[in-house]
Amino acid sequence: MTFNFNSLDHAYFMSEALNEATQALQAGERPIGAVIVHNGQIIGRGQAQHKNNRNRLAHAELNALLSVANRLYEFDRGDAVIYTTVEPCEMCLGAIVMSDAVNHIVYALPDRWINTAPMFAMPHVQRHIYNYLGGVLEKDSADLWEKYSPRELSLIREGKLPE
């Protein structure tokens, strides 16, 4: 089976990540969700669990990666995609790169506060991330953030807090 990133239903898979984000919001967490797709199937899921797990490392993307950690070696390089409702932070981007199995990232809401764009100038990152697509169901993700914290949504969107 030949992998074709552009043939994937990005909106469908992002809606599944948004379901994870909604569950996180309902649990009192930041509304961030992620799913990992391999061979057109969701094989991993994660959501933000910072507060409830009392663990600042419990990001949605890391939780999704950890949910499939024992299977990462089975993947053909370049065949797995992570869908996340907010552009990954430096830690999550680093974990995705170092997984050496998830080589495509699709996100909903760009994060101008974190601003991981400079990381893509690094040759190591360029060798591992083949596609980086943003804005998929962005409004839906922003709507969840508006419910959680309009102030944090402003931080994400504008890169600064409102005055």
Side-chain angles (χ1 to χ4, degrees):
M1 179 176 189
T2 303
F3 177 80
N4 183 345
F5 175 79
N6 294 319
S7 71
L8 293 171
D9 187 346
H10 298 307
Y12 169 75
F13 292 120
M14 186 60 71
S15 71
E16 289 295 313
L18 284 161
N19 287 340
E20 295 295 319
T22 299
Q23 291 175 34
L25 177 65
Q26 292 169 346
E29 299 281 356
R30 286 189 170 113
I32 305 174
V35 297
I36 296 176
V37 174
H38 185 251
N39 290 333
Q41 302 291 319
I42 295 172
I43 60 163
R45 294 177 177 270
Q47 55 189 251
Q49 296 178 326
H50 309 107
K51 294 176 186 173
N52 292 329
N53 286 356
R54 300 194 48 77
N55 179 349
R56 294 186 192 274
L57 302 178
H59 290 213
E61 299 90 343
L62 289 182
N63 288 334
L65 284 167
L66 289 169
S67 77
V68 295
N70 63 338
R71 297 180 58 196
L72 291 177
Y73 283 100
E74 298 171 16
F75 297 175
D76 289 332
R77 195 153 185 256
D79 287 359
V81 182
I82 188 165
Y83 291 82
T84 181
T85 59
V86 177
E87 188 172 12
C89 70
E90 300 98 324
M91 178 179 68
C92 292
L93 179 58
I96 294 165
V97 166
M98 296 309 293
S99 78
D100 200 28
V102 179
N103 302 105
H104 310 274
I105 299 171
V106 179
Y107 63 91
L109 187 61
D111 190 337
R112 290 182 178 84
W113 172 249
I114 297 291
N115 187 23
T116 56
M119 290 183 70
F120 284 92
M122 300 170 66
H124 185 71
V125 174
Q126 291 174 358
R127 279 195 305 274
H128 288 271
I129 303 300
Y130 305 155
N131 289 288
Y132 194 69
L133 175 64
V136 177
L137 301 183
E138 179 179 344
K139 183 182 181 319
D140 296 342
S141 182
D143 289 347
L144 288 176
W145 277 92
E146 185 69 33
K147 291 176 187 173
Y148 176 74
S149 170
R151 183 174 168 88
E152 285 192 37
L153 174 59
S154 179
L155 184 64
I156 291 167
R157 282 204 152 146
E158 306 301 323
K160 61 183 179 179
L161 290 171
E163 297 186 22

